[in-house]
Amino acid sequence: MKKSLSRAVSVLLIGFLLLGCSTQNPGTAAYVGEKRILVSELDTYLIELREIVPIETNDEGSTQIRTILALIIIGEIIETAQRNTEAQVDQNLVAGDYQALEQDVGGKEALDLFAANRDVPPSLIYKVLEQNRIIEAVGVLLAPDGTPADQNNEASAYILDLAGQIEITVNPRYGSWNSTDGSISPPANVLSEPAFTVDSGLN
């Protein structure tokens, strides 16, 4: 599990949880601890993504939805790790990563397409690169004398442990959180499952 989530937290360019929400919270896609992820936020990313990559005809875009929501959830956990450890990230390094990647793939339009083909909305590229730097910074704090590989392993293990401490709930219309690989599994029966249940409070 440690190894598979380690891959998930590195998601995007090298490959690139949610609660007790009440019925007073309509439009909720998920919760990571007390952090609420709105359906409207998810929809904004989907619109952006589908302007570049058309909706998948085989599953009406549900794979895109689950991938983006999982990406947002993992990002929340990584940022919680940063707050807990007070890890600092040099934004100049992140900007440099972005510029290097943009140049490597052949410009902004090519980078947007590169990301979108991996179900990453272009507006999230910088944030994902920043989160990769957060993982690096957390690793340096946890294993200051270790090799980069040791530091990455320490950071990934810390993030995995942290994820297990955070109460995570996904709106059942999207599926359920899969802790073994940092993904969202589809609903058991997408044809008959209701969009949400009264008990879950997520809709």
Side-chain angles (χ1 to χ4, degrees), residues 44-65:
T44 297
Y45 289 132
L46 285 168
I47 291 169
E48 179 189 7
L49 182 64
R50 289 169 182 171
E51 287 178 352
I52 303 172
V53 179
I55 191 170
E56 301 167 16
T57 56
N58 62 329
D59 67 356
E60 298 183 344
S62 60
T63 296
Q64 290 177 334
I65 293 170

Side-chain angles (χ1 to χ4, degrees), residues 144-162:
D145 298 323
T147 65
D150 292 335
Q151 292 169 347
N152 182 71
N153 289 337
E154 287 291 330
S156 296
Y158 177 79
I159 291 167
L160 176 60
D161 290 341
L162 181 61

Side-chain angles (χ1 to χ4, degrees), residues 181-192:
D181 63 2
S183 68
I184 295 175
S185 300
N189 187 338
V190 295
L191 297 179
S192 63

